[in-house]
Structures are given as C-alpha cells and as structure tokens.
Amino acid sequence: MNIFQSAQPSLLDRAWLAIRYPYDLVRNPLDALLSIPALSFLLIPTFSSYSTSLNLLFFYLTWSTLILSNSPLKVEVLGTLGIRVLFYLLPATAFLAFDGATPTLAAKAKEHGESALPMGEEQGGRKGKWWRTALVSTGNVLLGVALQSCVEFVFTKLLHFRSALKISTSLPMPWAIAIDLIRGLFLREILSYVLHRYILHHPDSPLTSYHTSWQHTITAPYAFVANYDHPLAYTVHVFLPTYLPALLFRFHLLTYHMYLAIVSLEETFAYSGYNVLPSGLILGGIARRQERHLMGEGKGNYSCLGIVDFVAGTSLGEDVVEDITEAAENNHVQERLKGRAKRGGRKPKSRSRS
C-alpha cells in the first residue's frame, strides 16, 4: 500500500466543489482581472501581484479537481445548471418578490408603472398568471439543461465522438475567451433574428400559434417572461440561438459558462420592465426593444440586441444606433453641465488694493 497516494475526494467534497463552481467561476478570474491585467500575468509573471497569482491558482486547482474527480458530463450539467440558477432564476425570483412585496415602490421603478406589475390588478392580481409564468419559465430553463445533456450524451456515449464542448483541465487564454464571446454573441444575434421572425412569427409556421398564445399573452414583461413560452417555441427562440454558437465553435466549458452567464443576465434585465438598469446604453435599449416587441404584437424587434433589426429595417421605435447616439449626446450634455458647475464653483480671485 502506498501511503503517499493521494486520497480521492469524498462525495461531500465533490458536491461542495460543484456547488461552489459557479461562484468561483466569476469571483476568482474577476478578482485577478481587476487586480492586475491578465496579460501581465501571462507574459510578465515577475510583475504580477500575489493576489492575482493566488486567485488564478486557486481557481485552477478548483477546476482541475472538478474535472479529475467527476465525469465531464456531470461537470458540464451541474455547472450549466448552477449558472442558470445563479444568474437568472435567483435574480428573477428576487425581482418578482420585490414587485409583490413593495408594489408602490416597484411601480415607480417600472417603465409602465402599475400596469407592469406582475401581481397588479391589470395582470389579475395575486391570483393572476404570474405563478404559472414563473413555473413554466423555470421548467423551460431545466428543459434547456436537459437538451444540452442529451447532446453531450449522444456525442460521447452513443456516437463515441469527442464532447460537444471542450472539457479539459487546461484553462483558455484571455484573448481566446474574448474572441469566442464576441463571435458567439454575434451568431446568437443572427440566429435569434432568423428563427424568431421566420419560424415563430411567420403566418405559415406551425409554431407561430404556440408562441403568440403563450409569450405574447403577456404585454408588460417581467424577468420570468424571458423564458416563458411553449416548450417547442422556447427551444427555437432561446435554446438553439444560445447553444448552437457554442456547439459550432466548440467553446471551452469555462468560456461557455461565462457566455451563458452574460446571456442569463441579459435576459433578466432586458425583460425586467424596470426603467433604471445597470447600463442605460446597452441594457436600457435592449429592454425597450423587447417591450415594444411584446406590445407591438411581434411586428418587429426580433433579435436580442437589435443589431440585425437595424440592418433589416425591422426596428420598432428607436433602433440600436439611435440609442447609442442619444446616449452619447446625454453624456456630452452631462459633461458640459459638470464643466459649468466646476467653473461656477471657483472662488473669484481677490484684488489687491492699491
């Protein structure tokens, strides 16, 4: 017996690692990027700070332990589920609780006031369909995780191919992550437009009636509406545009989970209905376009970000370019006002008496 042989992690240890993984995925790399640029850590290790090195080292150890002590399929499924819970289901639940517990305060933060409250009188009150919307939305999120698991099972177990996503102990480089995120979000934008417009809103499509009789029965969005739809329509509208770019470019699993976190946060805020969002330039414009799509009976604003709608001429209301122009003008006005305030606050120089 080799007394120096390392012991295998227990079941509780592996469960704790799986639970902590979504948190570590965001915290440790983010701390590293904020403390010292990642490029300096990779190219000039001598000048990197101890905190940067330790954050990346701890994350690498956590990631390696997960991969080596669990099956790749389990890591992918649990990680994907954890990301969706942490960045979509929990924030959506918190927003719904806030709207229900403090309706007066929530109405002031909503773009359309009391009519946009999920438990408001116009939505059927507390006995309305908000609970069904939340339940169906949660079920669709779980359906997406199940579909992703089925794809990996078919690839690895039945066809004996390599995994659909790259799963290894090595960590992707920062520039590789950036490139994959950019092209993944861009392809998602195109796919969401094409599938949404020509399959879910085309008069000859059999899925049009499912989509319009489910998601489009809600005119004032809240976070759970992002994934509220008939399961077939959800698969076409949300799952395929999100998953196909990762499958086509074969994202590293870490990159995919970062990508999924961005998509989940976008869904949460874009459908929240609030007029005060973390980023007025990006999320504010996306949220307004999603609202106009639902209120306009699906006659435009088919893509996620609004870029393809601008190119195709299907924008409802202000398009993405007008949002950027307006935001730039507002920033310019604010800078001028701040400049005037600073100049007005200067103390006049005292004149010496002769």
Side-chain angles (χ1 to χ4, degrees):
M1 180 177 179
N2 186 4
I3 61 174
F4 297 102
Q5 184 177 1
S6 59
Q8 292 293 328
S10 66
L11 180 61
L12 290 177
D13 291 334
R14 286 183 287 180
W16 174 245
L17 287 172
I19 292 172
R20 278 189 58 91
Y21 164 65
Y23 171 75
D24 289 337
L25 173 66
V26 177
R27 178 181 176 273
N28 290 331
L30 185 60
D31 286 346
L33 289 173
L34 292 178
S35 56
I36 288 292
L39 189 61
S40 67
F41 173 76
L42 294 170
L43 300 180
I44 317 174
T46 306
F47 299 101
S48 61
S49 65
Y50 288 110
S51 61
T52 302
S53 304
L54 289 176
N55 282 327
L56 292 176
L57 177 61
F58 288 150
F59 180 73
Y60 174 75
L61 293 175
T62 302
W63 174 251
S64 300
T65 304
L66 274 173
I67 296 297
L68 295 176
S69 60
N70 296 278
S71 66
L73 181 60
K74 180 187 288 187
V75 175
E76 179 179 344
V77 172
L78 291 180
T80 301
L81 181 60
I83 292 295
R84 292 297 274 165
V85 170
L86 184 62
F87 292 99
Y88 176 70
L89 292 178
L90 287 181
T93 302
F95 287 167
L96 184 63
F98 172 72
D99 293 342
T102 58
T104 303
L105 184 60
K108 296 179 180 179
K110 290 284 186 177
E111 182 72 21
H112 300 282
E114 295 182 1
S115 62
L117 294 177
M119 301 179 193
E121 295 182 0
E122 296 188 18
Q123 303 292 337
R126 294 189 177 274
K127 296 182 179 180
K129 61 183 300 184
W130 61 268
W131 62 271
R132 181 175 181 268
T133 303
L135 188 63
V136 171
S137 180
T138 303
N140 281 336
V141 170
L142 298 178
L143 172 63
V145 177
L147 290 174
Q148 180 180 331
S149 305
C150 290
V151 172
E152 283 291 359
F153 181 82
V154 171
F155 270 56
T156 57
K157 303 299 183 181
L158 298 183
L159 301 179
H160 301 287
F161 292 164
R162 65 182 184 180
S163 59
L165 302 177
K166 184 179 180 181
I167 306 175
S168 65
T169 56
S170 62
L171 299 179
M173 294 293 101
W175 52 84
I177 294 175
I179 291 173
D180 281 341
L181 290 178
I182 292 172
R183 63 183 181 176
L185 292 172
F186 182 72
L187 181 57
R188 172 177 175 259
E189 172 80 357
I190 297 174
L191 289 174
S192 65
Y193 180 89
V194 174
L195 296 176
H196 195 184
R197 180 179 182 182
Y198 295 106
I199 295 183
L200 298 182
H201 283 286
H202 196 279
D204 297 331
S205 174
L207 295 182
T208 299
S209 60
Y210 292 142
H211 180 60
T212 55
S213 62
W214 283 62
Q215 191 178 61
H216 279 271
T217 58
I218 301 176
T219 55
Y222 46 97
F224 275 113
V225 178
N227 291 278
Y228 172 72
D229 214 335
H230 187 280
L232 290 177
Y234 164 82
T235 303
V236 173
H237 184 203
V238 178
F239 175 74
L240 290 180
T242 301
Y243 184 63
L244 285 180
L247 186 65
L248 178 62
F249 298 122
R250 197 168 184 257
F251 284 0
H252 190 286
L253 184 58
L254 284 173
T255 305
Y256 175 70
H257 285 164
M258 293 180 186
Y259 164 77
L260 192 62
I262 295 173
V263 171
S264 300
L265 288 175
E266 178 213 306
E267 292 176 343
T268 302
F269 288 106
Y271 283 85
S272 65
Y274 296 125
N275 52 22
V276 180
L277 295 173
S279 174
L281 174 60
I282 299 176
L283 292 176
I286 295 173
R288 288 190 294 271
R289 282 186 287 275
Q290 295 296 347
E291 288 179 354
R292 294 189 187 108
H293 173 78
L294 291 176
M295 295 180 176
E297 300 178 353
K299 296 179 181 179
N301 292 349
Y302 300 106
S303 62
C304 301
L305 305 178
I307 299 174
V308 181
D309 281 294
F310 170 74
V311 175
T314 53
S315 298
L316 293 178
E318 296 179 351
D319 56 43
V320 62
V321 175
E322 291 174 339
D323 285 339
I324 295 175
T325 303
E326 182 180 355
E329 291 177 352
N330 290 336
N331 290 335
H332 180 65
V333 171
Q334 291 178 1
E335 289 177 358
R336 291 180 60 184
L337 292 176
K338 289 180 180 178
R340 291 180 180 178
K342 289 181 179 179
R343 290 193 298 269
R346 291 177 181 174
K347 294 182 180 180
K349 296 181 179 180
S350 58
R351 299 180 180 177
S352 60
R353 296 180 180 178
S354 54

